[in-house]
């Protein structure tokens, strides 16, 4: 499909800023159109997950939502589960893969983050000092 195909169907022209007439973006190949019926019929391998069907292995996970919606608690529990090789403190039914965690939070005050981290570790019956060195940054 080209840009003209979409434009003739009433698709907003602003969506195509930087897209040439043949559908290519800034000199790259056009993205393929995927028919869901073809996709459904195509046998594909199941991707590897850090926590089954929750966090794909090697993926960068961005969790967003309203303030106070427990994003920090969820990610800290998932991160500790990964670092401790634990069933997410019994919160999920799948065993996480062991491995290092890089956790970034640009929202919480350091004192509140420290308190939240300690509470999350306590949910596993452990303290922050029980985390293997280098596994949770």
């Amino acid at each position: 499909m080209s840009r003209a195909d979409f434009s003739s169907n009433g698709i907003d022209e602003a969506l195509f800023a930087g897209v040439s007439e043949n559908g290519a973006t800034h000199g790259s190949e056009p993205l393929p159109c995927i028919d869901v019926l073809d996709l459904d019929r195509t046998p594909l391998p199941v991707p590897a997950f850090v926590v089954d069907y929750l966090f794909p292995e090697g993926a960068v996970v961005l969790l967003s939502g309203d303030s106070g919606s427990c994003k920090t608690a969820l990610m800290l529990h998932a991160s500790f589960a990964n670092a401790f090789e634990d069933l997410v403190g019994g919160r999920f039914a799948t065993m996480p893969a062991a491995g290092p965690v890089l956790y970034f939070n640009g929202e919480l005050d350091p004192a509140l983050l420290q308190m939240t981290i300690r509470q999350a570790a306590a949910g596993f019956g452990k303290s922050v000092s029980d985390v293997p060195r280098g596994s949770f940054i």
Side-chain angles (χ1 to χ4, degrees), residues 27-74:
S28 66
E29 293 296 315
L31 293 174
C33 289
I34 299 173
D35 184 310
V36 294
L37 295 174
D38 291 338
L39 183 63
D40 186 54
R41 294 181 191 118
T42 305
L44 297 170
V46 176
F49 288 87
V50 174
V51 177
D52 285 345
Y53 304 103
L54 191 58
F55 301 119
E57 188 175 284
V60 173
V61 178
L62 172 64
L63 187 63
S64 65
D66 292 335
S67 181
S69 61
C70 297
K71 301 176 299 292
T72 298
L74 172 65

Side-chain angles (χ1 to χ4, degrees), residues 121-132:
F124 289 85
K126 301 187 183 221
S127 72
V128 177
S129 63
D130 295 322
V131 174

Side-chain angles (χ1 to χ4, degrees), residues 80 83-84 117-118 121-122 125-136:
F80 275 115
F84 290 141
I117 286 171
R118 287 176 176 166
K126 301 187 183 221
S127 72
V128 177
S129 63
D130 295 322
V131 174
R133 172 121 349 246
S135 66
F136 193 165

